[in-house]
């Protein structure tokens, strides 16, 4: 079995800005708050979490995603602002968001992926999709309120990332969190 997801990489410039934001957040959080930040090389946008999957399904998934990606054009998305799951006043996961147009494009791409993968037996996710870039996960048991911090940075533009391909990742769980491996890249717009 392999733990899989489909996602997009961010530009180096956006990733560098996000690392600076992680440093800023580490400085403003109370000292007793334990947060595990996502390492720069793991920063991404998830389009579809597939989960535990038999290895023999990987080529089937790859074929389906390649066919879906072929007629699409490369595009750009912009990261802007910050939020948290489940809420800013009870932050467990801190994330950077996308501007409205980018979020709409991501949602359409995700919907297409869901349809394509459902056709090969992968159960669609019925939760609301909120495209985001995870910055860190709280390890502390106490509630953490980042409302004020997020409000100060609400309009912070983090830059654009140009997407040329969709990526199938394997996620290997370890003591230090998940390690991601690129299994295959699917170029947009290749005939």
């Amino acid at each position: 079995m392999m733990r899989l997801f489909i996602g997009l990489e961010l530009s180096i410039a956006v990733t560098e800005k996000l690392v600076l934001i992680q440093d800023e957040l580490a400085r403003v959080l109370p000292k007793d708050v334990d947060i595990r930040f996502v390492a720069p090389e793991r920063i991404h946008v998830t389009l579809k979490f597939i989960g535990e999957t038999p290895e023999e399904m990987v080529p089937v998934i790859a074929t389906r995603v390649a066919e879906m990606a072929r007629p699409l054009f490369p595009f750009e998305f912009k990261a802007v602002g910050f939020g948290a799951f489940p809420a800013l006043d009870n932050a467990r996961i801190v994330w950077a968001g996308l501007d409205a147009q980018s979020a709409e494009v991501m949602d359409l791409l995700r919907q297409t992926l869901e349809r394509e993968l459902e056709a090969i037996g992968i159960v669609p996710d019925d939760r609301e999709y909120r495209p985001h870039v995870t910055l860190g996960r709280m390890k502390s048991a106490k509630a953490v309120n980042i409302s004020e911090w997020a409000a100060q940075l609400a309009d912070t533009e983090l830059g654009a990332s140009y997407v040329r391909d969709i990526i199938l990742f394997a996620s290997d769980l370890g003591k230090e969190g998940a390690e991601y491996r690129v299994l295959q890249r699917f170029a947009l717009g290749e005939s």
Side-chain angles (χ1 to χ4, degrees):
M1 296 289 272
M2 298 177 79
R3 191 169 184 258
L4 305 176
F5 70 93
I6 297 171
L8 306 173
E9 292 176 324
L10 282 75
S11 71
I12 292 170
V14 172
T15 300
E16 287 173 346
K17 286 181 183 174
L18 291 173
V19 169
L20 293 174
I21 294 292
Q22 288 174 325
D23 292 343
E24 164 70 17
L25 182 56
R27 284 191 296 277
V28 300
L29 285 174
K31 296 298 177 213
D32 62 338
V33 171
D34 185 15
I35 184 169
R36 180 184 293 162
F37 287 109
V38 176
E41 65 274 10
R42 295 184 200 140
I43 291 177
H44 68 279
V45 174
T46 299
L47 291 170
K48 167 72 176 164
F49 180 75
I50 299 171
E52 293 294 331
T53 307
E55 282 189 49
E56 58 270 14
M57 280 296 293
V58 172
V60 178
I61 292 167
T63 298
R64 207 67 186 203
V65 177
E67 289 171 1
M68 184 206 83
R70 200 169 291 122
L72 302 178
F73 291 102
F75 65 94
E76 186 176 84
F77 69 93
K78 295 178 182 171
V80 61
F82 301 92
F85 295 131
L88 286 170
D89 62 353
N90 182 24
R92 303 298 304 156
I93 296 174
V94 180
W95 48 262
L98 305 182
D99 72 324
Q101 183 177 353
S102 298
E104 186 177 335
V105 169
M106 292 292 181
D107 190 46
L108 291 170
L109 188 54
R110 183 202 57 84
Q111 288 176 38
T112 304
L113 264 172
E114 290 283 14
R115 279 193 305 275
E116 291 296 322
L117 296 176
E118 185 177 22
I120 58 172
I122 295 173
V123 178
D125 193 343
D126 58 359
R127 295 176 296 174
E128 178 186 355
Y129 179 65
R130 177 117 192 214
H132 65 278
V133 181
T134 300
L135 299 179
R137 292 174 175 80
M138 302 296 177
K139 305 307 282 179
S140 304
K142 73 176 214 169
V144 180
N145 187 337
I146 64 164
S147 300
E148 189 176 313
W149 175 82
Q152 291 172 358
L153 299 172
D155 297 324
T156 301
E157 293 189 15
L158 301 161
S161 296
Y162 190 71
V163 177
R164 291 180 179 89
D165 51 24
I166 297 171
I167 305 164
L168 176 62
F169 289 95
S171 174
D172 303 315
L173 298 177
K175 291 180 191 173
E176 299 299 313
E179 291 290 330
Y180 305 143
R181 288 182 292 125
V182 173
L183 294 180
Q184 197 164 343
R185 292 177 182 273
F186 308 98
L188 301 179
E190 280 197 356
S191 47

